[in-house]
Amino acid sequence: MVAIKLTDDIYWVGANVHTEDLFEGIWPIPNGVALNSYVIKGEKIAIIELVREWGGAALTLLKNLDSISIKLSDIDYIILNHLEPDHTGFTYLVNSLSPNTQIISTQKGVELVKAFYQIENNLNAVKSGDSIDLGNKKKIEFVEIPNVHWPETMVTYEKNSGILFSGDAFGAFGVHQGCIFEDETSDESKPYWEEEMLRYYANIISTFSSNVLSAIKKLSELKINMIAPSHGLVWRSSPEVIVKKYKRFSNYNKDYAEPAICVVWGSMYGNTEVMLNSVLRGIGKSGIPMKVHRLPNEDPSYALSDAYKSAGLIIGAPTYEYGMFPPMKYFMELLKKKRILYKKVLYFGSYGWSGGAQKDFEKLTENMHWDVLKPLTFNGYPTIEQLEKGEKMAMEMAQQVKDIPSKINDEDY
Ligand SMILES: Cc1cc2nc3c(=O)[nH]c(=O)nc-3n(C[C@H](O)[C@H](O)[C@H](O)COP(=O)(O)O)c2cc1C
Ligand SMILES: [Fe+2]
Ligand SMILES: [Fe+2]
């Protein structure tokens, strides 16, 4: 790809990255990820976000700049909305190759530039309300939105065009597949983006949901014509859609989840799996949407996404060495870290002698604001009665989840 025009003298110059690496060293990105970067050409030139040298991204950025006749040394300002290295890894090299380019970030951001890249020159701290006039009717203003996703986070707003360069906020996993704008994507690609937006949110942002809501409130004072995040699509025609989506996502851990059930299970020798089948049958009878994930066979990233979205969560896992089956314990720790709160939850699992999984389960449910049903544990292979009970409990739970009055009002979001 070459640079893509957002509007007069404002371009996307980012890179679509496919890599064997996991995002943040944890999350699989089989569909890759877009590292968006933008150039504003006034009399002065600013670039918003740099990429990381990752899957050829740094070279792509340079080539994209080439395509609009910009050399690194032509750039007056590098704007770093936040310092996570997916958007800043290239900073040291750029600073070496273009020693007069000024680096702009919040005060905390500047401290991180020093810490991460041992850069001491050309550092400029800005705060909310500060602006830079680039000339030729291009003026950028900064708004701090702390903790979306890191503490030093800000957004950059270009006043004349009304484009909000929002950093990680409003982002998604997944490469562009040819279209960077939401209004260019085909109907066929909508599920791809829906899934990758939610998974990005659940994996990366959900911990900071209350900060997302504060940021949305703060940003509502701006007249936004386009949202250009640092990952995912550029929202050119309908920026309000991604704001509504993010509002909706940020309420999923506030008792506003979707009427659906996510089942996450693991089993060593099949006893827990026998009960799983009864549980699934119970849910199936209710007709409620259901997603099922097996751990560790599937990556927890996907289970996390569905667990976050769904009002009902069912966890099935046996006892392993006096505690919870380790892949499930890790998953439950992720649920805690990512603040997957306010769910209706059922646990089931098999044990051989002492048990222990239930004890871990109970510990891991503390402070999660979960409505936990009576656990269904059984010794070895479940009896017919236990299987019938499992099916009945799951059916009743599914019915309750189905009947939760929806607090989601699409008009509001
Ligand atoms: C490696 C391993 C460790 C186990 N540790 C315990 C244990 O500490 N306490 C216990 O009650 N059962 C323990 N068990 C027994 C299992 O919990 C029991 O066999 C259960 O039925 C397994 O369920 P599954 O077939 O769904 O894997 C262990 C089994 C294995 C294979
Ligand atoms: Fe980030
Ligand atoms: Fe990012």
Side-chain angles (χ1 to χ4, degrees), residues 107-332:
Q107 185 58 49
K108 282 184 184 162
V110 163
E111 297 310 318
L112 286 176
V113 179
K114 291 181 192 170
F116 288 0
Y117 305 113
Q118 277 90 48
I119 292 173
E120 294 290 338
N121 60 328
N122 301 338
L123 299 177
N124 303 271
V126 292
K127 53 186 186 324
S128 285
D130 286 353
S131 59
I132 299 175
D133 196 338
L134 299 172
N136 200 19
K137 292 196 188 146
K138 296 280 178 278
K139 189 172 182 187
I140 48 177
E141 189 176 302
F142 309 103
V143 183
E144 291 169 80
I145 55 161
N147 297 308
V148 186
H149 142 239
W150 281 15
E152 79 290 5
T153 307
M154 66 173 193
V155 294
T156 302
Y157 174 68
E158 202 288 308
K159 281 189 131 165
N160 265 289
S161 58
I163 301 178
L164 179 72
F165 300 94
S166 61
D168 280 350
F170 313 121
F173 286 141
V175 295
H176 286 127
Q177 300 188 322
C179 311
I180 75 160
F181 299 107
E182 99 289 11
D183 55 33
E184 286 180 335
T185 56
S186 64
D187 284 348
E188 287 71 32
S189 69
K190 293 218 158 44
Y192 165 91
W193 283 114
E194 286 292 327
E195 238 176 73
E196 290 296 39
M197 270 184 265
L198 177 66
R199 196 165 67 87
Y200 177 80
Y201 190 97
N203 292 185
I204 310 295
I205 308 286
S206 62
T207 315
F208 310 102
S209 286
S210 57
N211 306 92
V212 171
L213 287 170
S214 311
I216 288 175
K217 206 164 166 205
K218 212 173 192 180
L219 298 174
S220 67
E221 288 161 21
L222 302 174
K223 187 180 174 325
I224 297 170
N225 295 327
M226 203 187 294
I227 292 183
S230 303
H231 303 287
L233 292 168
V234 176
W235 295 78
R236 176 169 65 180
S237 300
S238 53
E240 71 286 356
V241 170
I242 187 65
V243 175
K244 283 180 185 176
K245 254 186 227 305
Y246 256 60
K247 246 182 165 176
R248 188 168 181 144
F249 293 167
S250 57
N251 277 299
Y252 279 164
N253 57 1
K254 283 196 168 178
D255 206 6
Y256 284 72
E258 308 280 349
I261 292 193
C262 172
V263 181
V264 187
W265 70 284
S267 173
M268 298 175 285
Y269 292 109
N271 289 340
T272 304
E273 187 178 0
V274 175
M275 180 60 83
L276 169 82
N277 288 319
S278 288
V279 164
L280 295 185
R281 189 160 159 69
I283 305 167
K285 281 182 176 168
S286 77
I288 194 168
M290 156 171 72
K291 284 282 174 65
V292 186
H293 298 278
R294 181 179 186 181
L295 301 181
N297 310 55
E298 276 178 74
D299 192 280
S301 164
Y302 298 88
L304 199 61
S305 193
D306 282 321
Y308 185 54
K309 173 183 171 176
S310 309
L313 172 64
I314 298 184
I315 289 177
T319 291
Y320 182 101
E321 295 179 1
Y322 306 98
M324 172 70 81
F325 183 55
M328 193 61 76
K329 189 166 181 187
Y330 170 61
F331 177 66
M332 290 194 67

